[in-house]
Amino acid sequence: DAGITQSPRHKVTETGTPVTLRCHQTENHRYMYWYRQDPGHGLRLIHYSYGVKDTDKGEVSDGYSVSRSKTEDFLLTLESATSSQTSVYFCAIRSGSTAYNEQFFGPGTRLTVL
Amino acid sequence: QKEVEQDPGPLSVPEGAIVSLNCTYSNSAFQYFMWYRQYSRKGPELLMYTYSSGNKEDGRFTAQVDKSSKYISLFIRDSQPSDSATYLCAMSVGTASKLTFGTGTRLQVTL
């Protein structure tokens, strides 16, 4: 499982509330990613990080922010959750220092926004 | 039009059959090509990874890339019920390795 954990694994929240999802890795990988998975869309990149305090946007970043204050943790925040953010969220790490290295995924967080 | 197109299935085959899963893409800059397998309510699991045109084999799995036609395939030989899952193609370009996924094909292998 490449030492990736996600928390919480399931969450139900109400529209307008803030939500933070955590991705934790144990192997000091530099690159970390957040994706969301929705029927008919596959997985889409939200944000990614290439080092502590170094982050950039992905394809579907609106409504999301991220932070990485330590190598091992990458946080995804929904400042004010909306029903369109109901999804399954996956964190991933890249296993090495080159673009050739593979990405491995965590177990996912299932988020429901009512 | 999506950058990566994949037939969603479902695809149902008998045990022992050869399965062919396919993706087409429009961005000729894609350099790296992957196949992931995803069981229900689990994270995607990397199956095959290649960056050049041609075939790459690993056990019962063969990944094929045709960059001139912008087409990739995954072949599964001697399919087993345990192969029943959703198969996702993915590809990337550049140093950040941002993956672009197909929508996934659901495969069911029946006894």
Side-chain angles (χ1 to χ4, degrees):
Chain A
D1 63 358
I4 306 169
T5 56
Q6 292 184 234
S7 58
R9 293 293 313 280
H10 299 88
K11 186 170 183 66
V12 179
T13 191
E14 294 190 348
T15 298
T17 60
V19 176
T20 295
L21 308 182
R22 179 181 183 239
C23 177
H24 179 78
Q25 55 137 334
T26 59
E27 299 179 3
N28 275 341
H29 296 296
R30 180 182 169 199
Y31 277 79
M32 299 182 74
Y33 307 82
W34 277 108
Y35 293 86
R36 60 178 287 175
Q37 186 173 32
D38 305 288
H41 291 279
L43 284 98
R44 292 177 291 172
L45 181 66
I46 305 171
H47 281 280
Y48 69 100
S49 170
Y50 47 97
V52 173
K53 299 193 188 311
D54 293 322
T55 65
D56 205 349
K57 296 179 180 180
E59 179 188 355
V60 291
S61 59
D62 287 348
Y64 301 94
S65 62
V66 290
S67 65
R68 192 164 177 205
S69 58
K70 299 185 291 183
T71 300
E72 58 266 35
D73 288 326
F74 191 30
L75 304 181
L76 177 71
T77 297
L78 292 65
E79 301 289 350
S80 178
T82 68
S83 58
S84 65
Q85 293 175 312
T86 292
S87 188
V88 182
Y89 292 86
F90 288 100
C91 174
I93 58 93
R94 195 177 79 183
S95 61
S97 59
T98 72
Y100 178 74
N101 294 109
E102 301 93 331
Q103 284 188 34
F104 296 94
F105 284 79
T109 293
R110 190 170 294 268
L111 177 67
T112 301
V113 183
L114 301 175
Chain B
Q1 184 187 3
K2 294 180 180 178
E3 278 192 292
V4 180
E5 298 280 356
Q6 184 175 8
D7 187 335
L11 180 62
S12 183
V13 301
E15 183 179 7
I18 296 174
V19 176
S20 172
L21 304 167
N22 310 296
C23 288
T24 59
Y25 61 95
S26 57
N27 186 353
S28 58
F30 283 134
Q31 298 168 287
Y32 306 105
F33 304 91
M34 288 136 275
W35 285 96
Y36 284 86
R37 177 175 62 195
Q38 186 176 26
Y39 292 113
S40 180
R41 295 185 172 260
K42 300 289 187 182
E45 167 194 11
L46 183 66
L47 271 180
M48 299 286 288
Y49 185 20
T50 184
Y51 59 92
S52 58
S53 284
N55 293 354
K56 180 179 180 180
E57 190 173 317
D58 184 2
R60 297 186 295 112
F61 299 92
T62 298
Q64 186 176 80
V65 174
D66 183 345
K67 288 187 178 181
S68 62
S69 301
K70 299 191 186 67
Y71 188 89
I72 69 171
S73 299
L74 177 70
F75 299 95
I76 307 174
R77 290 183 298 280
D78 188 25
S79 56
Q80 303 295 310
S82 58
D83 295 328
S84 298
T86 296
Y87 290 80
L88 301 151
C89 65
M91 38 201 88
S92 70
V93 59
T95 56
S97 305
K98 296 182 287 184
L99 295 181
T100 301
F101 281 86
T103 52
T105 299
R106 191 155 59 92
L107 172 68
Q108 181 74 35
V109 181
T110 58
L111 291 169

